[in-house]
Amino acid sequence: SQKIEQNSEALNIQEGKTATLTCNYTNYSPAYLQWYRQDPGRGPVFLLLIRENEKEKRKERLKVTFDTTLKQSLFHITASQPADSATYLCALPNNRDDKIIFGKGTRLHILP
Amino acid sequence: NAGVTQTPKFQVLKTGQSMTLQCAQDMNHEYMSWYRQDPGMGLRLIHYSVGAGITDQGEVPNGYNVSRSTTEDFPLRLLSAAPSQTSVYFCASSGPGTANYGYTFGSGTRLTVV
């Protein structure tokens, strides 16, 4: 069956360090992958989209990699700040009809 | 731009009641979706539309109906509410093709069925 796996445990990172979140998938062949941020009580906010032919994509302090061989995407936040604390979701299209399916998300805490 | 507007923000229903969750977007987006979010389950797709007059089921469609008579509106109907439908519901819209654009989400409707 198709699975999207993100670390279910919260990730605690010291302010100023790089936070790295992982998204692994099985039985998918996505042409692209998306990352979202969700704050408590709010809807998710789209951050980045990376296509299968793009190994890496950057936006300000964010960097996403996409390894279709490992079936994995890594999401990095450099020079992390307490305001980066949130839940981060990866999402990708399913094989049959491109409907967007979300992982369960990883909670990130940036400690001051 | 208002983006994606969901109403109501909070709702309490009794088992067996019906209601409609409203969703409207003003970005002329073709793609619209309804998700529910439950603790430990993440976001699960309920129904989906790629344009006016076109809808399709997602992962958890049972107990819900949708229609898409206009590009702007995508209401979600609960036919006979059950406690298992207690959840936070999010509506989302996207430009022409989610391969190029991410979803814009509404602020959610928090539904409790008692």
Side-chain angles (χ1 to χ4, degrees):
Chain A
S1 62
Q2 296 179 317
K3 284 185 182 178
I4 304 172
E5 295 180 353
Q6 296 186 255
N7 285 352
S8 57
E9 293 184 9
L11 184 63
N12 295 320
I13 299 293
Q14 204 67 39
E15 181 178 5
K17 302 293 186 184
T18 296
T20 298
L21 285 68
T22 304
C23 176
N24 294 304
Y25 56 91
T26 55
N27 295 322
Y28 281 96
S29 300
Y32 59 93
L33 189 146
Q34 302 174 344
W35 283 91
Y36 292 77
R37 168 186 174 140
Q38 186 174 24
D39 292 288
R42 309 286 294 270
V45 174
F46 171 70
L47 296 175
L48 281 168
L49 180 152
I50 185 167
R51 294 184 176 81
E52 59 182 342
N53 61 348
E54 298 174 316
K55 298 302 181 189
E56 179 181 298
K57 199 153 192 182
R58 292 176 184 261
K59 179 182 175 182
E60 299 173 353
R61 294 184 296 110
L62 308 181
K63 185 179 85 170
V64 171
T65 62
F66 191 12
D67 190 324
T68 56
T69 301
L70 291 179
K71 295 187 180 297
Q72 179 182 81
S73 175
L74 299 179
F75 178 84
H76 307 272
I77 305 176
T78 59
S80 59
Q81 304 166 1
D84 295 326
S85 298
T87 295
Y88 291 86
L89 308 166
C90 71
L92 44 85
N94 70 18
N95 291 340
R96 289 180 287 108
D97 49 22
D98 282 353
K99 293 170 188 170
I100 299 298
I101 306 300
F102 283 81
K104 295 179 182 179
T106 299
R107 274 186 303 158
L108 174 66
H109 298 296
I110 305 300
L111 307 173
Chain B
N1 279 349
V4 177
T5 302
Q6 289 186 240
T7 56
K9 292 192 184 303
F10 301 93
Q11 183 71 48
V12 179
L13 284 180
K14 293 183 178 180
T15 298
Q17 286 185 318
S18 62
M19 79 160 294
T20 299
L21 280 63
Q22 301 292 344
C23 176
Q25 53 93 5
D26 61 357
M27 298 171 284
N28 201 32
H29 283 172
E30 296 177 358
Y31 283 54
M32 295 188 76
S33 293
W34 276 102
Y35 290 87
R36 60 177 288 175
Q37 188 171 40
D38 303 290
M41 299 297 292
L43 284 160
R44 291 183 291 169
L45 181 64
I46 305 172
H47 282 289
Y48 172 75
S49 171
V50 299
I54 305 169
T55 63
D56 197 4
Q57 295 182 349
E59 304 167 85
V60 289
N62 292 341
Y64 308 94
N65 274 355
V66 291
S67 60
R68 184 96 180 269
S69 56
T70 67
T71 299
E72 294 78 20
D73 300 301
F74 192 41
L76 178 72
R77 296 182 189 84
L78 279 69
L79 307 173
S80 177
S84 61
Q85 294 179 303
T86 293
S87 188
V88 181
Y89 291 84
F90 288 104
C91 179
S93 72
S94 172
T98 50
N100 297 311
Y101 304 92
Y103 270 123
T104 298
F105 279 81
S107 57
T109 294
R110 284 147 187 81
L111 176 68
T112 303
V113 182
V114 297

